[in-house]
Amino acid sequence: MIQRFPVAGEDFSAAGEASSKIKNILRQVGEDAELIRRVCIAAYEAEMNLVIHAGGGEMILKLDTDMVEVIAQDRGPGIPDVELAMQEGYSTASDLAREMGFGAGMGMANMKRCASEMLIDTEVGKGTTVTLRFKTGKN
Amino acid sequence: MEPRYHSVILDEDKCKGCTNCIKRCPTEAIRVRNGRAFILTERCIDCGECIRICENHAKRAIGDDLDQAISFPYRVALPAPSLYAQFRRELTPKDLNKALIRLGFHEVAEVAAAAELTTVAIREYLKDLDRLPKPMISSACPVVVRLIQMKYPTLIPHLIPVEAPYITAARLAREKVCRERGLRPEEVGLFFLAPCPAKITEVKTDTGQVPLINGVIPISSVYGRLQQAMAHIDEDCSDGGSTTTGVGVGWARTGGENIALAQENVLAVDGIHNVLELLEEIELEHLTDVDYIEALACPNGCVGGALTVENRFVARVKIRKLAEKLDDSRIPDAVVEEGKRLYAAGKLTQKEELRPKAVLQLDNNLADAIRKMGELEEILAELPGMDCGSCGAPTCRSLAEDIVLGRAQRADCVFILREQINTLAQELLLLAKKRPQALKED
Ligand SMILES: Nc1ncnc2c1ncn2[C@@H]1O[C@H](COP(=O)(O)OP(=O)(O)OP(=O)(O)O)[C@@H](O)[C@H]1O
Ligand code: SF4
Ligand SMILES: [Mg+2]
């Protein structure tokens, strides 16, 4: 099953809605609660990055019996130095985003911590695709 | 799915089939079918929102009756702290105790007094903060506990495993009465005067040998008789025998538990929809700098319970004033000592481990559930997305779910039905235009 959720850029009032919908779907499908928790923390971080850094984009949920995949896709500015962006504490968040409580530079690290596998495909000026994979069942 | 007992029921004669309650229900547990509301039992958490919202008073809670107490040789009343705020006249716990004795109880075990022991137990438990998941969440409100079991099972370890005050009150009262009066446990009838349907359900689903509590009487149903008894209490020579302080009384309204705990980094939330919002945040690990959360399903806390009588805002002020009058700044040393002793003996903590209640899923088999979810999304894409409720389901999404589960059909949506009728009408028109061969001109 594949489901797509558009995410608007800079729209803090609707931010988190896609991850919340993803959570409800996983709950209804009956995935393991601990898995749902990890997916949702990571999906929320990916969604917020679309809002804050990329001017919006799309969240995609792919469901299979052995795998949950969450993809955050955008046509934003891209990430020049992925290794740097992955470091805890590194952030280029705007003042506005910081005022809203974002910009601790923890998002990417949280995604890495929660997902079984994390892939980043990015090109400066073109956009970014973050793929988060979660193996179902006991790991 | 096995249906389970719950105390909120529908009065079919009063229900007009409006859709107010289905929209308000936090677990989407109500549907309208054949012009009547209908509760999906396994999803109901007895929060009482539908009782509050229904203008036709078609939803109510089934509780016990005062008269049922009579069959017990020895009767003990357990008044909820919210009861102190229900009367027009200003009253003290002593006054209420006297009125309860006049109603035929032999003894009163104040739930407010037990709340002070609960407070001590929570403080003790929180001493080990470093090894606890944060924030810890109060388990005093059974609605919140059930909501977590159903929708946020990963938060179960956050629920503080200390018994709710009324349970502690009951446990200690039965022990004390049996010890002091030489009675057998089954000779003692414990009756809890409760503000909410959730507590009725909790007591009714208790499976212990001698039920911990023998009956739950809604505050709203005993109110009139208490009022009458209250008129005569000045004639009584007893002093009402109250031991509670303002700390226990304060638990009746939102924030009271936190005031009692006197800890830093705490937060209080009330109203089921606000609670839902906060639980989402906790699950996303956004509140890890908070130590403890007092979460109550009813607006203003238990004084806003669906089975109370007094306006909840007025009641809240009354509780605050009474708590201050009785001193809500500290728990007496002797009570603290007693609380610590009972806690160490394991008498204030929950006996049973809480388990998740998986009632939201489409199928027990993951592969089938995923397939059904695909169907659900397809159906949802066909629905107009108005969430109008005319189909009897609270949202288009829940109708799609009902269709997938075989509980409803596409034509239940008035918009789809109209389209279908439209198509049919056009087909009829075409048919009507066809002339019989015999009339054909050439
Ligand atoms: N989709 C994206 N497009 C462009 N840049 C991004 C994107 N996602 C992340 N980045 C860059 O990577 C940095 C680190 O991201 P990360 O999510 O770890 O921290 P943050 O978003 O700045 O702060 P926090 O997530 O703690 O609120 C960001 O500051 C930004 O420079
Ligand atoms: S807040 Fe109090 S009255 Fe309301 S449901 Fe919870 S325990 Fe019952
Ligand atoms: Mg981020």
Side-chain angles (χ1 to χ4, degrees), chain B residues 77-301:
Chain B
L78 299 120
S82 44
L83 194 50
Y84 302 126
Q86 302 302 314
F87 303 89
R88 281 288 136 167
R89 59 174 279 181
E90 223 176 85
L91 99 185
T92 62
K94 286 181 185 172
D95 298 334
L96 185 72
N97 293 354
K98 288 188 212 170
L100 287 167
I101 301 292
R102 281 196 162 259
L103 286 189
F105 289 101
H106 296 96
E107 199 168 305
V108 178
E110 297 173 310
V111 174
E116 294 170 6
L117 298 171
T118 309
T119 306
V120 175
I122 298 174
R123 281 186 197 160
E124 290 298 305
Y125 196 87
L126 290 179
K127 276 186 178 161
D128 253 341
L129 211 53
D130 291 341
R131 59 158 191 92
L132 299 176
K134 290 211 318 183
M136 288 301 284
I137 303 169
S138 170
S139 47
C141 175
V143 172
V144 174
V145 173
R146 260 187 253 138
L147 190 62
I148 288 179
Q149 286 178 289
M150 191 184 294
K151 270 188 111 169
Y152 306 93
T154 56
L155 298 183
I156 290 177
H158 291 246
L159 282 166
I160 194 134
V162 173
E163 295 272 32
Y166 78 100
I167 303 215
T168 292
R171 206 183 294 284
L172 297 180
R174 195 179 296 277
E175 274 179 26
K176 172 174 166 279
V177 170
C178 291
R179 194 176 57 235
E180 287 178 357
R181 316 239 153 211
L183 293 166
R184 280 175 288 124
E186 58 274 20
E187 290 174 315
V188 182
L190 299 183
F191 284 78
F192 177 36
L193 283 61
C196 59
K199 283 176 174 152
I200 299 181
T201 304
E202 201 171 52
V203 169
K204 296 291 167 189
T205 43
D206 181 62
T207 49
Q209 287 268 307
V210 179
L212 187 55
I213 291 172
N214 302 87
V216 192
I217 307 174
I219 286 181
S220 53
S221 77
V222 72
Y223 175 74
R225 288 175 66 179
L226 266 177
Q227 187 93 300
Q228 286 166 2
M230 209 76 79
H232 302 286
I233 52 172
D234 297 334
E235 303 155 20
D236 292 358
C237 45
S238 103
D239 79 335
S242 172
T243 57
T244 186
T245 72
V247 177
V249 170
W251 269 66
R253 52 79 160 90
T254 309
E257 182 182 349
N258 280 346
I259 292 176
L261 286 174
Q263 306 249 338
E264 283 176 42
N265 294 329
V266 296
L267 196 136
V269 57
D270 63 12
I272 187 79
H273 295 278
N274 297 330
V275 170
L276 273 166
E277 210 174 291
L278 204 74
L279 293 176
E280 290 283 337
E281 294 287 323
I282 299 174
E283 204 171 40
L284 284 171
E285 299 185 350
H286 289 172
L287 289 170
T288 48
D289 49 351
V290 178
D291 293 341
Y292 191 72
I293 293 195
E294 175 188 343
L296 298 163
C298 297
N300 293 300

Side-chain angles (χ1 to χ4, degrees), chain B residues 24-43:
Chain B
R24 191 73 198 162
C25 175
T27 54
E28 300 192 330
I30 315 176
R31 301 290 184 270
V32 175
R33 291 272 178 280
N34 304 319
R36 298 274 180 280
F38 158 82
I39 303 174
L40 301 172
T41 5
E42 71 278 5
R43 282 200 184 180

Side-chain angles (χ1 to χ4, degrees), chain A residues 1 3 20 23-25 27-31 33-34 37 40-41 44-45 63-66 113 136, chain B residues 150-154 280 283-286 360-363 366-367 369-370 373-374 376-377 397 401:
Chain A
M1 199 210 81
Q3 204 53 38
S20 168
K23 179 199 266 183
N24 285 331
I25 289 178
R27 219 183 251 153
Q28 241 180 334
V29 164
E31 294 283 5
E34 184 53 33
R37 195 183 66 87
C40 289
I41 292 173
Y44 178 83
E45 294 290 0
L63 273 189
D64 228 315
T65 43
D66 55 354
R113 169 173 66 90
T136 62
Chain B
M150 191 184 294
K151 270 188 111 169
Y152 306 93
T154 56
E280 290 283 337
E283 204 171 40
L284 284 171
E285 299 185 350
H286 289 172
L360 299 175
Q361 60 202 52
L362 295 172
D363 202 296
L366 186 61
I370 292 176
M373 181 53 78
L376 189 159
E377 295 291 350
R397 190 175 186 89
E401 180 191 341

Side-chain angles (χ1 to χ4, degrees), chain A:
Chain A
M1 199 210 81
I2 298 187
Q3 204 53 38
R4 296 166 177 273
F5 310 91
V7 176
E10 304 289 327
D11 182 356
F12 289 96
S13 65
E17 269 178 18
S19 353
S20 168
K21 283 179 185 159
I22 289 176
K23 179 199 266 183
N24 285 331
I25 289 178
L26 297 179
R27 219 183 251 153
Q28 241 180 334
V29 164
E31 294 283 5
D32 171 68
E34 184 53 33
L35 177 96
I36 298 180
R37 195 183 66 87
R38 286 192 288 121
V39 175
C40 289
I41 292 173
Y44 178 83
E45 294 290 0
E47 183 180 359
M48 291 320 299
N49 280 0
L50 293 183
V51 176
I52 295 169
H53 307 295
E58 191 178 42
M59 300 282 287
I60 302 161
L61 171 69
K62 290 190 187 169
L63 273 189
D64 228 315
T65 43
D66 55 354
M67 177 93 80
V68 175
E69 200 171 283
V70 174
I71 302 165
Q73 214 165 33
D74 67 66
R75 293 166 192 275
I79 306 174
D81 186 341
V82 173
E83 214 172 298
L84 188 62
M86 289 295 299
Q87 276 175 24
E88 288 188 15
Y90 174 80
S91 173
T92 60
S94 67
D95 288 345
L96 174 66
R98 280 172 206 275
E99 263 168 42
M100 304 290 299
F102 303 102
M106 291 302 293
M108 302 283 241
N110 275 340
M111 288 180 232
K112 179 114 190 136
R113 169 173 66 90
C114 291
S116 320
E117 193 183 351
M118 174 176 179
L119 307 171
I120 303 170
D121 183 12
T122 182
E123 199 178 326
V124 174
K126 288 247 170 92
T128 305
T129 301
V130 177
T131 304
L132 300 160
R133 295 205 177 112
F134 305 83
K135 286 200 186 72
T136 62
K138 300 285 159 243
N139 38 359

